[in-house]
Amino acid sequence: MANMCPYGHFTHAVVRGIPETFGKKAGDSQENGEVSVDLAKAQRQFGCLTGALRQKVGLQLIEIPPDPELPESWKIEDVAVIHGDTALITRPFKQQRQSEVEAVRRVMSELNLTVVEMDREQGDSVGATLEGSDILFTGREFFVGISSHTNRRGAEVLADTFRDFAVSTVPVCDGARLKNICSMGGPNTIIFSNSDGAKKTLRCWLGARRLCVMLDVRVCLQMMEQLTDHHYDVLTVPEESAANCIYIKGPSKRDFLLHRPADECPDSVSAFQKLQDYTLLPTACSEASKLGASLSSLCLLVNRKHTYF
Amino acid sequence: MTTEAGSETEVKEKAEESAAEPDQSEKATEDSQEVANAEVEEKEKAKVKEKEEKEGKGISRYLPTWLKKQKSQSQTSPTKEAPPTEEPVSKVTQEEEGPAPEVNGHAEEVEEKEEVKSEQVKEKEAETHSNASADTEPAKEEKVEESAEKSPEETKETAEGEGAEEETKEKEGAVEAEEEAGEGQTSIFQSPLRLVRKNKMKLVVCHVTLLDGTDFTCEVEKRAKGQYLFFKVCEHLNLLEKDYFGLAYQDNHDQKCWLDPTKEIKRQIRSNNWQFAFNVKFYPPDPSLLTEDITRYLLCLQLREDVASGRLPCSFVTHALLGSYTLQAEIGDYEPDQPRPLDFISQLTFAPNQNKEMEEKILELYKSHRGMTPAQADTQFLENAKKLSMYGVDLHHAKDSEGVDIMLGVCANGLLVYKDRLRINRFAWPKILKISYKRNNFYIKIRPGETEQFESTVGFKLQNHRAAKRLWKVCVENHSFFRLNAPEPPTKARFLTLGSKFRYSGRTQAQTRMASSLIDRPAPSFERTSSKRISRSLDGAPMISITEAGRESAENGREPHLELHSDSKVTVVDVSPGDAEAMPSQHSPGSSELGPPQDHDKTQEEVLKHQASISQLKRSFMEAPPPSPPQPNQWEKRLTSSPATIRLQQQQVVSVPQTEAATADNTISDTKEPAKTTEVEIEETVVVQEISRAPKPGLITVAASPPAAPSAEQEMREQEVKVQEEAVVVEEAKPRKEESISSESESEEEAEYHPYLPVSISHTQIPEEKEEEEEQEKQEEDKTAELQVLASDASSLPAEVIQPAEETSREVEESRKEDDTETEKTTNAEEEKEVERETEESTDDPMVTPDEAPNGLTLPEEGVTVMDAQAEEEEEPKMNGEPSLIEAEPLPQVICCSEPPVVKTEMVTISDTFAAQKTEIATKEVPIVHTETKTITYEAAQLDGNGDGEPGVLMTAQTITSESLCTTTTTHITKTLKGGLSETRIEKRIVITGDCDIDHDQALAQAIKEAKEQHPDMSVTRVVVHKETELAEED
C-alpha cells in the first residue's frame, strides 16, 4: 500500500544529547546503584554515532539539546514511532520520562510529520504504554514486544495508527526489550542474537493458550516467524549486544550498517562481514548499553522523501 | 465462424430433438420421469453429459467438483463411447480447422467449457458425434439418458466389454444423479432463457445486489441450485473468472452466509427472502495475476466497498491514495477547469471517517494520475490494497480458551488470531492438520513445531454452533481454494457417519488460474461508472450496459464466448477420457504449465512472462491437429486380462469393494502409511479395484537435477525440479467414483476437515512421523529414513546414489534413440528443435502414418530396456529430459525450452511392456506408444555464478501415493560456505507417476509449492520440467 516500501530509506536522524545526569535513571535511582558509567566516554561515543550518521551515511542530523532534568532523554527511540509521514508520540512506561516527548513532538512537527498522540482518545488508550525500543518495524509489518515497558494497549494504539500494517505482538519478559534481541539488518534481513550463554528468557504464547513459558531468544524468533506472512532472512549473531544494529540505506543508495565494534562483540563481527556490499560502521556504545540501551536507542530515523506510489 | 456456429447449433439442436424422439429407450425414460421434466431437458441433459464425457479429463480438472461429481455419475459412458468417438472427433476437428484457423482459439477450450454458451457448440458436436457413431454403437447415447432404468442398455454395454463396476456406479443414486445432472448441467450449459421457457417449474424471482450497487433480478425455478443463480449472475456480468466470487445471503440470524452452489437455494436461505449479494469470496493474493480487467474491476468495486465501510482498515494516506485511483478509474483524468471538484468528491464515500482533509489529499493525488487509463488505475488500486494487512481476511468473533474476546481471521495464508487489532497468533495452512467444530467450539489441530513433541489442538469458542460451522466452512473453502490443486471430494460416510460433509466444490485458485490463462476473448467492454456512488455524483452516469452489450453481441453471434467455443471444438477431441489419453498433444500442453500455484512466490513479471510463453506453447500445441484416438477396446481387454500391467516395482493393491469405490481417496490415504518404506524413486501405484481395471500407469517423472548432473546445473543454485511425465494410454477406467453425495445430510453439530487428506498430494498427510525429520523437511514424510544421509560436508554419497540412476536413464534414452532411428520417424526429434513441425507430426502420425507397424515392432525391445533400467535401479525413464537438463542455460527469469516442447519419441511404458510380454500379443496388436517429451526449464534470476557446488547430501526420498498418482521426491542438499554465508542448495527430484487422468500440471505445481513451503526461506531458481506423455496406438 501507500506506505509500504522497503525498509531502510531514511533522510533524517533525530538524536538527543547525553546530559550530565547520564546514568541516573529517571525516578528511582536505586536500581542503578551498581552501574558505573563514564559520562565523558558516553558523550564521546554519542559523538561518534552522530558523526557516522551525518558524515558517513549522509543523513540530515537534528540534535535536540540534552536536558539534565531528563536523564534518560537520550534514549530518544523510545518516545516516537515514525513511519512514512506519521509519527506516533509514545507514552513511556515511566511517568518521569513522559515529559521527554515534548521536545520530540516539536521536532516531528517541524519535520512536517503528522503527529499522532497516544492519548488522543482518552478512553481507548488509558493505561497504554509504549516504547520504541519494543517495536521492530520491518518495512512490512510491526512487531511489538509486550514487555515490562510496553503493554497491549500501547500496541493497539500503534496498530490503530499504522492501520495498513499487521501489528503482531511478541511477548517478552524479564526486562528484555524486543530491540535488544533483534533489529533490522537490511530491507529483508533481521539480525537476531543467538546467544546461548545469555539465554534471555522470553515469555511466549503457545498456540492461543496463554501458556507462559520461559524460553530462549530463539523461540522469540520462531514466534515472529510464525506470526509473519513474509519471509525474512535471519542473520544470527552470537552475542546479544551485537543484535542491535542500525541499518540505513542512505541517500547515496548504499547500505550502511552501524554495529557494535569488535571489542564490544568480538564474535559477531565476522557475521556482519557476510553482508555483502555493506558499508560497516563499527560504532561503540558501551556506556549506553550499561543502561540497557543500545545503538538504535540513540536515534530516531525519518524519511522525508517518502513517496506514496 | 461464430455466426455460423450459432445457426448451425440451432439447426442441429432441432435435428437432434427430432432424431431423439423416436428413440424407444428414451421415451421409456421419459415416462418414468416426472412430467415436469420436460423432454427437452432430458435431451439437453443427455447432450450435456455426452459433451462432458467427451471433454473428459482434459477439461475435467478445470471443472469444479460439483460438475465432476455429476460427470462421474455419467462416467459410465466414456469408455463405451471411446471407439465411436474416434470418428466424429476427427470430423469435428476437420470441420473446425477449415473455417476457423484461429490460432489463439485453441488455447481456450478450458475456459469456454464451463461457459454458459458453450453448450451450443458442444451440442453440435454431440450431434455430430451421435450421428457418426450411430451405427457403431446405437445404445450409447440413450444409455446416458436413462441411467435411471439401467437394465437393457447396461447389459448391452457390459457385453461390450466394460468394467462392471461402472454400471454399479451408475446405478448408485442414478435417479438422483440424473436429476442433479439435469438441473445442474442445464443451469450451466443451457441458456437460462430456454430453460425458463420450457420449464413448468415454479419460478421465483431472485434479487442479487451486484458490486456496483445495482440490482440484478432474475427468475429461477424454485428448486434451482445455487450455481444456477450464480452462473446467471456471472453471465449477466460477462465474468469468466468467476471462481473468486460468490453469492451471499443473510440467514435468519442476519449473518452473512455463502450460497452453496451445489445445494438448492431454497433449502439454504430458509426464508422466503430471495435476496443475495454478489461478492468477492476469495480475494486473490495477487490481483495482477487475474487475466481480465473486468475481474479486476469487480474486485476493485468490492474493495472500495470494503475500504469505505471500514472492513478493510487503512491509514489516512492509503485511504487518500485508494480514493484517488478510484476517481481516476471512474471519471478519468482530472479536469482543471472543473468547477469545485471537491464538491463531488465529498459526495463519494472513500473512508468511514472521511473528512475535508482527506478529500483534499485525494484530490491532490488524483491530479497526479493524469493519463492513467481506468484499467491502470484499477491495477494500481489493487496493488496498494493487496498489501494491506487485512486484505482478504475474513474476520470472525470468537473467544479463546480463557474466554478472552478475539477475532479469527481466515485468509489465503491461513488462520490469523487477533486480539483487538493486534495479531497474536497465526496458523499458516501448512501448520494445520485438522479443522473441526463441535457445537460452538472450533478446533484446529496444529502440526508440532520444531521444539514441540506433539501436535496440539487449539480450541476457540464461537458464539453459537452456527457461527462455528460458518467459520469451519470458510476455513475449509479457503484452504481448498488457496492450497489445493483440486477440490477435495466430500468426505465419505465411511469416515464420518456424523458431521458435515461439506467441502469446497468450486475450482481452486490453481485451477482457476490455469483456466483463466486460457481465456482468449477480446476484453469485454464494460462501463466503470456504474458504481453507484460515483454515478450519483456524475449526473447519473448511465448505469450501463454490461448486460445490453452482452446480449447484443450474443444476438449477433459475435459474442466472444461463441468464438471460444467454436475454436474449442478441437478440444472436443479429448472429451471422453479414453480420447484424452489418446491425445497427449492436448494433454501435454496443459501440463507444460508449471502451474499457477508456483506463482505464489514469484514476482508478477516472472509469472506473467511465464504464463505468456506457456500459453504460446500451448497454442502451438493446440494448433496441431489432434491425432485420431486409439481404439481402446483391445487395449482394455489386454489390460484387464493382464494384471501385470502394473509395472511398478512397488505396488499397492488396494482392492476396494465396488460399493466403496467412492471412498477410494480415503482408502488410499490410509494405505500411504505402509508405503512409507519406499526407497528412492520407486514408483508406486495404487491400484484400486484391480480386477476390473488396469491401473493407468501414466508416469510422470519429475526428475530434479541430480547433483551428479553436470556443472551447468550446479550453477543453478537452488532447486531444480524436473518433471517427466509419461501418460500411458490405457483404456479409460476411472478409479474414482463419486456417489452423488448430498451434503444436505450434514449435521449441524460437528464436522472435521483434514486439510491435507486425499486430494492433494501434499506431504502433510502423515504428521506423526515428523519428529525424526530434519528441519528442512518439516512437511515431508520421511519415508526414507535410511536414505537420509546427512553429511554436511558435501559427501559424494548422493552422487553415488544418483549416478547409476542417471546412467541407466541415459542408457534407456540411448536405446530409445536407436529405436527411434529405426522407426525413421522422429530420429532427430530430440536434437532438433522444430517445435511446430514435431508437434504436428506427433499428433498426426498416429492416425495417418503407416510406419506405425514398424514402431510397434520395436516396442518390445524398448520395453525390455526400460524394464531393465528399472530393475537395476528404480529409475524413472528420463529420456529426453537428460540432455535438456544439461543444456539448460542459466537464463535469468526466462523459461527456456531447452528442447522442443514436444519431442516425439517412441517408447513403451513399462506397463505396456508388461502387458505385451505377459499376454503375448501378436505383433500387430502391440501398441505403439508415442511419447511426447517435453522439457521446460524455468529459472529465476540471480544465480550467483559459482558453480562449485559439491555433490549434495541426499536428504530424503519419499514417495507419496494417492489413488492415481505417485510422487517420489528425492532431495539433495548441498551446503556451501561462501564468505561466511552458508548457502544451501536443494535439489529435488520429483517423479510424478500417474494415470492419464491425473493432472500433471497440478501435481507438479503442488510439488513445487510444497518444496517452497518446506524451504520457505529459499527460492526456486530453476525448475526443469520434463514430461513424457505417451500415446498408444493400435492398428
Side-chain angles (χ1 to χ4, degrees):
Chain A
M1 89 243 52
N3 278 328
M4 205 168 279
C5 64
Y7 178 83
H9 293 271
F10 298 111
T11 55
H12 293 68
V14 183
V15 297
R16 191 162 197 178
I18 309 274
E20 305 94 69
T21 48
F22 178 75
K24 298 193 181 72
K25 288 212 173 177
D28 39 16
S29 52
Q30 72 276 11
E31 64 182 76
N32 193 21
E34 301 143 35
V35 182
S36 67
V37 289
D38 182 338
L39 173 64
K41 193 175 176 187
Q43 284 172 334
R44 264 202 313 280
Q45 287 173 345
F46 177 79
C48 288
L49 172 71
T50 55
L53 289 174
R54 185 181 2 228
Q55 283 151 21
K56 302 266 178 49
V57 182
L59 298 184
Q60 305 247 12
L61 198 75
I62 299 165
E63 184 167 348
I64 304 173
D67 184 345
E69 297 296 307
L70 302 169
E72 291 188 75
S73 57
W74 51 273
K75 289 198 266 184
I76 195 171
E77 180 188 35
D78 281 337
V79 295
V81 182
I82 303 166
H83 173 68
D85 59 0
T86 303
L88 172 65
I89 305 297
T90 65
R91 185 190 292 146
F93 174 67
K94 288 183 197 163
Q95 281 288 329
Q96 295 81 359
R97 290 195 66 189
Q98 287 176 9
S99 44
E100 292 176 18
V101 301
E102 285 154 21
V104 176
R105 183 184 295 125
R106 269 198 307 278
V107 173
M108 296 298 125
S109 304
E110 284 165 18
L111 282 168
N112 270 327
L113 294 169
T114 307
V115 175
V116 178
E117 302 288 343
M118 256 184 85
D119 36 20
R120 74 205 137 124
E121 324 148 71
Q122 288 299 334
D124 214 27
S125 58
V126 170
T129 62
L130 184 71
E131 293 189 6
S133 49
D134 280 315
I135 295 162
L136 179 71
F137 177 64
T138 70
R140 297 179 233 183
E141 62 190 317
F142 286 94
F143 291 101
V144 181
I146 301 301
S147 71
S148 49
H149 291 65
T150 296
N151 60 19
R152 192 161 294 281
R153 279 265 167 80
E156 280 166 26
V157 175
L158 180 81
D160 205 31
T161 307
F162 300 100
R163 286 164 175 252
D164 294 348
F165 297 92
V167 177
S168 301
T169 55
V170 185
V172 188
C173 67
D174 273 15
R177 315 299 300 273
L178 187 63
K179 270 292 198 62
N180 286 351
I181 53 172
C182 59
S183 63
M184 291 307 285
N188 196 32
T189 305
I190 300 180
I191 300 175
F192 232 95
S193 77
N194 189 18
S195 49
D196 273 343
K199 281 202 176 179
K200 262 294 173 209
T201 49
L202 301 163
R203 174 179 296 190
C204 282
W205 285 41
L206 283 191
R209 293 162 297 179
R210 286 235 196 99
L211 259 189
C212 275
V213 193
M214 303 309 240
L215 295 160
D216 68 35
V217 178
R218 273 169 294 187
V219 176
C220 185
L221 172 60
Q222 280 169 27
M223 192 69 197
M224 287 168 61
E225 281 175 345
Q226 177 172 338
L227 282 162
T228 184
D229 295 323
H230 309 283
H231 294 305
Y232 299 102
D233 300 329
V234 174
L235 177 67
T236 50
V237 291
E239 286 134 322
E240 193 194 322
S241 59
N244 183 292
C245 299
I246 302 174
Y247 167 80
I248 300 166
K249 199 171 193 77
S252 54
K253 300 292 175 210
R254 282 158 61 201
D255 297 309
F256 292 95
L257 188 76
L258 281 73
H259 64 87
R260 307 287 290 274
D263 56 334
E264 291 181 24
C265 52
D267 299 333
S268 301
V269 174
S270 62
F272 297 128
Q273 281 158 1
K274 293 176 195 167
L275 296 165
Q276 286 174 339
D277 301 327
Y278 272 51
T279 305
L280 297 177
L281 300 172
T283 309
C285 190
S286 59
E287 300 310 302
S289 71
K290 288 176 188 168
L291 302 174
S294 194
L295 282 173
S296 70
S297 313
L298 292 159
C299 62
L300 284 169
L301 299 170
V302 183
N303 183 11
R304 283 315 293 146
K305 279 193 189 153
H306 196 75
T307 48
Y308 300 118
F309 332 94
Chain B
M1 177 67 219
T2 27
T3 351
E4 213 182 328
S7 55
E8 246 178 5
T9 315
E10 284 306 307
V11 177
K12 297 223 169 176
E13 224 178 300
K14 277 177 196 156
E16 179 162 315
E17 271 174 41
S18 52
E21 295 280 20
D23 195 313
Q24 288 288 340
S25 51
E26 188 178 359
K27 274 189 180 157
T29 324
E30 275 166 30
D31 294 347
S32 71
Q33 300 278 332
E34 280 177 81
V35 187
N37 278 340
E39 142 193 328
V40 182
E41 203 185 335
E42 281 291 313
K43 267 168 240 148
E44 282 168 0
K45 235 182 277 174
K47 280 176 232 159
V48 169
K49 278 184 183 172
E50 230 174 87
K51 179 199 334 167
E52 280 208 341
E53 284 143 19
K54 281 199 229 150
E55 284 163 8
K57 292 163 267 159
I59 295 134
S60 66
R61 58 181 155 186
Y62 300 114
L63 293 173
T65 27
W66 41 267
L67 279 184
K68 279 187 182 165
K69 206 198 296 173
Q70 287 155 358
K71 182 176 48 191
S72 69
Q73 286 152 0
S74 59
Q75 199 76 46
T76 343
S77 32
T79 10
K80 295 153 195 171
E81 269 184 66
T85 338
E86 185 178 354
E87 217 189 326
V89 157
S90 51
K91 260 191 203 169
V92 169
T93 319
Q94 280 158 12
E95 234 176 87
E96 279 334 291
E97 299 296 317
E102 280 152 71
V103 178
N104 303 336
H106 297 288
E108 284 154 336
E109 80 270 295
V110 175
E111 184 58 27
E112 112 284 332
K113 252 138 231 161
E114 35 143 81
E115 229 10 80
V116 180
K117 281 137 201 161
S118 71
E119 104 273 354
Q120 293 164 330
V121 174
K122 300 248 167 77
E123 274 167 27
K124 184 170 126 201
E125 285 154 13
E127 180 68 4
T128 333
H129 175 182
S130 54
N131 290 343
S133 59
D135 42 353
T136 16
E137 200 171 341
K140 174 185 45 103
E141 189 171 344
E142 301 137 25
K143 199 203 91 218
V144 184
E145 290 169 22
E146 43 169 277
S147 40
E149 307 177 1
K150 284 289 103 137
S151 26
E153 255 75 30
E154 219 137 42
T155 356
K156 215 188 282 175
E157 266 123 26
T158 327
E160 282 165 14
E162 288 312 307
E165 82 276 9
E166 299 188 61
E167 270 87 15
T168 334
K169 196 200 295 173
E170 205 172 356
K171 270 174 200 157
E172 290 170 5
V175 179
E176 195 187 340
E178 184 74 357
E179 260 190 30
E180 225 180 60
E183 267 177 37
Q185 304 289 1
T186 36
S187 63
I188 295 157
F189 292 104
Q190 301 297 320
S191 149
L193 295 174
R194 200 189 320 163
L195 188 79
V196 169
R197 196 176 58 228
K198 298 190 178 166
N199 233 315
K200 288 153 200 163
M201 296 295 266
K202 266 194 175 177
L203 295 180
V204 188
V205 178
C206 294
H207 299 276
V208 182
T209 308
L210 303 179
L211 286 167
D212 60 8
T214 57
D215 217 38
F216 170 69
T217 311
C218 77
E219 286 187 327
V220 301
E221 104 192 11
K222 208 169 183 186
R223 293 182 52 211
K225 298 215 167 103
Q227 70 200 37
Y228 177 79
L229 181 58
F230 180 65
F231 275 68
K232 284 195 87 169
V233 174
C234 291
E235 185 188 21
H236 169 77
L237 292 170
N238 203 5
L239 173 67
L240 289 186
E241 295 174 282
K242 50 174 94 77
D243 304 285
Y244 299 97
F245 302 85
L247 289 177
Y249 64 94
Q250 304 276 326
D251 69 5
N252 292 338
H253 307 270
D254 270 353
Q255 294 294 326
K256 178 182 164 181
C257 299
W258 292 108
L259 193 65
D260 187 334
T262 61
K263 297 206 275 180
E264 284 180 22
I265 300 171
K266 190 181 57 167
R267 299 212 182 164
Q268 298 181 64
I269 56 175
R270 285 191 183 133
S271 63
N272 237 356
N273 183 18
W274 293 69
Q275 182 78 45
F276 306 92
F278 180 79
N279 283 133
V280 173
K281 189 174 185 184
F282 304 110
Y283 289 76
D286 191 348
S288 65
L289 294 180
L290 295 175
T291 300
E292 294 200 296
D293 284 340
I294 190 170
T295 319
R296 267 187 287 274
Y297 169 65
L298 292 172
L299 178 59
C300 273
L301 289 179
Q302 175 75 66
L303 286 165
R304 285 176 199 165
E305 167 66 21
D306 291 348
V307 167
S309 68
R311 271 196 304 276
L312 179 58
C314 44
S315 64
F316 175 85
V317 177
T318 306
H319 271 307
L321 186 64
L322 295 179
S324 67
Y325 285 126
T326 301
L327 285 182
Q328 182 70 23
E330 293 288 349
I331 61 182
D333 287 348
Y334 170 73
E335 297 295 340
D337 48 343
Q338 189 164 354
R340 306 168 66 202
L342 270 183
D343 284 359
F344 74 79
I345 290 181
S346 54
Q347 289 175 37
L348 312 178
T349 316
F350 297 103
N353 48 355
Q354 187 169 328
N355 53 25
K356 209 79 201 150
E357 190 191 358
M358 182 177 290
E359 284 159 14
E360 278 162 14
K361 186 77 180 169
I362 289 172
L363 189 63
E364 177 197 327
L365 293 169
Y366 166 47
K367 289 176 186 170
S368 71
H369 300 328
R370 275 190 74 91
M372 205 178 266
T373 67
Q376 286 170 332
D378 278 350
T379 304
Q380 286 301 312
F381 180 98
L382 294 174
E383 283 306 296
N384 283 284
K386 77 174 188 191
K387 293 180 196 155
L388 293 166
S389 78
M390 297 304 281
Y391 172 82
V393 178
D394 183 13
L395 287 177
H396 297 253
H397 286 281
K399 288 182 194 301
D400 69 7
S401 53
E402 294 181 353
V404 177
D405 281 319
I406 54 164
M407 298 287 271
L408 292 175
V410 186
C411 68
N413 294 325
L415 189 63
L416 302 164
V417 185
Y418 293 93
K419 169 132 175 44
D420 300 309
R421 295 187 183 89
L422 305 175
R423 184 186 290 185
I424 57 172
N425 214 333
R426 172 177 173 273
F427 304 100
W429 290 126
K431 285 279 279 179
I432 299 178
L433 293 171
K434 190 171 99 177
I435 309 166
S436 55
Y437 74 96
K438 190 169 188 176
R439 290 188 294 276
N440 65 335
N441 294 304
F442 174 79
Y443 302 101
I444 51 175
K445 191 193 249 182
I446 309 295
R447 179 188 305 286
E450 284 166 35
T451 52
E452 298 141 319
Q453 284 276 305
F454 304 103
E455 55 203 39
S456 52
T457 297
V458 183
F460 303 94
K461 272 216 180 332
L462 278 286
Q463 229 167 6
N464 50 46
H465 80 270
R466 285 188 315 276
K469 183 178 178 184
R470 202 165 48 238
L471 171 60
W472 178 79
K473 277 184 161 185
V474 169
C475 283
V476 169
E477 292 190 314
N478 272 269
H479 173 267
S480 301
F481 183 79
F482 290 110
R483 301 287 304 175
L484 296 186
N485 291 319
E488 186 181 350
T491 34
K492 311 305 185 306
R494 201 186 72 119
F495 253 172
L496 303 164
T497 41
L498 285 176
S500 171
K501 288 181 192 139
F502 173 82
R503 288 295 180 265
Y504 176 60
S505 58
R507 292 197 289 203
T508 65
Q509 179 175 244
Q511 289 172 320
T512 193
R513 280 187 184 170
M514 191 92 72
S516 55
S517 72
L518 301 175
I519 293 178
D520 194 19
R521 62 171 179 182
S525 61
F526 58 94
E527 292 283 337
R528 286 162 202 273
T529 38
S530 45
S531 168
K532 222 185 198 171
R533 316 165 294 178
I534 304 251
S535 61
R536 205 191 306 137
S537 65
L538 290 179
D539 314 324
M543 232 16 162
I544 311 309
S545 65
I546 298 172
T547 346
E548 286 136 40
R551 293 226 174 100
E552 272 171 53
S553 54
E555 278 163 18
N556 298 339
R558 286 305 316 172
E559 170 78 85
H561 296 312
L562 286 177
E563 285 179 19
L564 300 188
H565 312 321
S566 45
D567 288 335
S568 67
K569 281 181 188 165
V570 177
T571 327
V572 175
V573 169
D574 66 352
V575 160
S576 94
D579 290 349
E581 288 168 28
M583 317 217 36
S585 66
Q586 297 220 332
H587 203 61
S588 33
S591 20
S592 72
E593 286 215 38
L594 289 183
Q598 168 198 20
D599 299 342
H600 287 320
D601 302 331
K602 263 197 269 169
T603 68
Q604 303 164 14
E605 295 81 23
E606 282 173 295
V607 170
L608 290 177
K609 247 189 236 170
H610 185 194
Q611 285 186 343
S613 73
I614 276 171
S615 63
Q616 264 186 338
L617 254 184
K618 195 167 285 184
R619 262 170 221 151
S620 68
F621 279 113
M622 294 305 186
E623 282 164 45
S628 82
Q631 296 173 331
N633 270 344
Q634 292 180 337
W635 242 145
E636 283 164 24
K637 279 176 211 152
R638 195 175 317 133
L639 289 173
T640 29
S641 59
S642 65
T645 39
I646 309 147
R647 56 136 166 15
L648 304 168
Q649 294 195 340
Q650 265 215 349
Q651 303 164 357
Q652 294 180 312
V653 179
V654 186
S655 21
V656 183
Q658 297 191 349
T659 40
E660 264 187 63
T663 59
D665 284 348
N666 299 333
T667 318
I668 283 149
S669 66
D670 290 345
T671 57
K672 273 171 207 164
E673 305 251 356
K676 262 183 270 168
T677 50
T678 327
E679 296 157 20
V680 200
E681 296 186 9
I682 289 182
E683 296 141 12
E684 359 174 293
T685 304
V686 174
V687 183
V688 184
Q689 296 177 342
E690 87 237 69
I691 306 160
S692 53
R693 155 169 316 144
K696 279 165 295 158
L699 158 66
I700 319 172
T701 321
V702 187
S705 72
S711 57
E713 278 177 59
Q714 280 165 345
E715 290 173 353
M716 327 281 97
R717 291 314 299 173
E718 302 289 329
Q719 288 192 351
E720 301 184 3
V721 182
K722 186 171 145 219
V723 182
Q724 292 188 328
E725 1 168 295
E726 307 167 12
V728 179
V729 179
V730 185
E731 98 287 9
E732 173 56 26
K734 243 206 157 167
R736 183 185 312 162
K737 286 196 249 165
E738 286 161 71
E739 315 164 33
S740 71
I741 293 143
S742 74
S743 37
E744 265 119 80
S745 62
E746 68 193 46
S747 136
E748 293 290 316
E749 288 301 304
E750 62 180 273
E752 51 180 45
Y753 172 70
H754 300 258
Y756 281 92
L757 266 174
V759 165
S760 79
I761 52 168
S762 130
H763 310 249
T764 47
Q765 294 166 0
I766 302 157
E768 294 80 8
E769 304 267 296
K770 253 206 53 244
E771 290 94 79
E772 318 169 1
E773 284 190 349
E774 283 304 303
E775 282 185 6
Q776 302 95 315
E777 308 300 335
K778 263 179 220 168
Q779 310 187 16
E780 295 187 7
E781 304 168 340
D782 53 343
K783 296 181 175 170
T784 53
E786 331 95 77
L787 291 177
Q788 290 188 2
V789 187
L790 304 175
S792 56
D793 44 345
S795 69
S796 56
L797 184 50
E800 285 165 12
V801 175
I802 286 294
Q803 197 68 56
E806 291 303 310
E807 279 159 18
T808 47
S809 80
R810 265 171 221 141
E811 283 169 27
V812 173
E813 193 184 328
E814 277 165 21
S815 67
R816 191 178 324 99
K817 276 182 190 164
E818 284 163 27
D819 291 333
D820 288 343
T821 333
E822 287 171 14
T823 61
E824 304 172 0
K825 243 183 161 186
T826 51
T827 324
N828 301 325
E830 294 175 10
E831 283 76 30
E832 294 165 345
K833 318 205 165 184
E834 302 159 309
V835 181
E836 302 279 312
R837 194 177 60 83
E838 293 300 336
T839 319
E840 278 177 29
E841 265 189 30
S842 65
T843 43
D844 276 339
D845 283 351
M847 206 173 137
V848 189
T849 24
D851 358 348
E852 280 163 21
N855 294 342
L857 289 173
T858 63
L859 282 182
E861 296 125 41
E862 282 183 28
V864 172
T865 325
V866 177
M867 280 289 301
D868 290 347
Q870 285 233 339
E872 278 177 48
E873 176 55 273
E874 54 299 1
E875 162 58 329
E876 67 293 326
K878 269 182 58 185
M879 322 299 162
N880 308 321
E882 188 69 40
S884 73
L885 250 191
I886 297 163
E887 289 164 16
E889 299 137 34
L891 287 183
Q893 310 218 356
V894 167
I895 303 152
C896 58
C897 283
S898 51
E899 289 217 56
V902 175
V903 177
K904 191 180 61 182
T905 57
E906 311 252 349
M907 104 167 226
V908 184
T909 30
I910 302 144
S911 63
D912 300 341
T913 316
F914 264 109
Q917 286 176 338
K918 302 244 169 164
T919 52
E920 296 190 344
I921 304 155
T923 345
K924 269 186 200 168
E925 294 175 19
V926 170
I928 297 159
V929 180
H930 295 281
T931 309
E932 304 216 345
T933 308
K934 193 169 25 163
T935 302
I936 295 176
T937 308
Y938 162 74
E939 304 175 1
Q942 38 97 350
L943 320 154
D944 48 357
N946 61 347
D948 60 337
E950 299 92 338
V953 179
L954 177 58
M955 289 299 297
T956 56
Q958 58 166 356
T959 304
I960 293 158
T961 314
S962 71
E963 145 187 59
S964 58
L965 176 68
C966 164
T967 312
T968 302
T969 308
T970 317
T971 308
H972 289 264
I973 297 191
T974 315
K975 288 203 170 147
T976 326
L977 260 187
K978 202 179 45 175
L981 272 178
S982 92
E983 185 174 65
T984 307
R985 172 168 161 236
I986 300 180
E987 294 179 336
K988 281 185 182 256
R989 163 182 301 204
I990 304 166
V991 182
I992 304 169
T993 314
D995 301 348
C996 293
D997 58 351
I998 67 166
D999 188 332
H1000 305 305
D1001 307 347
Q1002 291 189 0
L1004 172 62
Q1006 179 74 23
I1008 292 170
K1009 200 167 74 185
E1010 266 152 22
K1012 283 186 172 171
E1013 283 161 15
Q1014 286 154 19
H1015 314 283
D1017 45 341
M1018 306 184 85
S1019 53
V1020 175
T1021 53
R1022 188 164 180 245
V1023 178
V1024 179
V1025 181
H1026 184 81
K1027 107 165 32 164
E1028 301 199 348
T1029 315
E1030 288 188 11
L1031 158 58
E1033 266 290 302
E1034 289 183 55
D1035 277 12

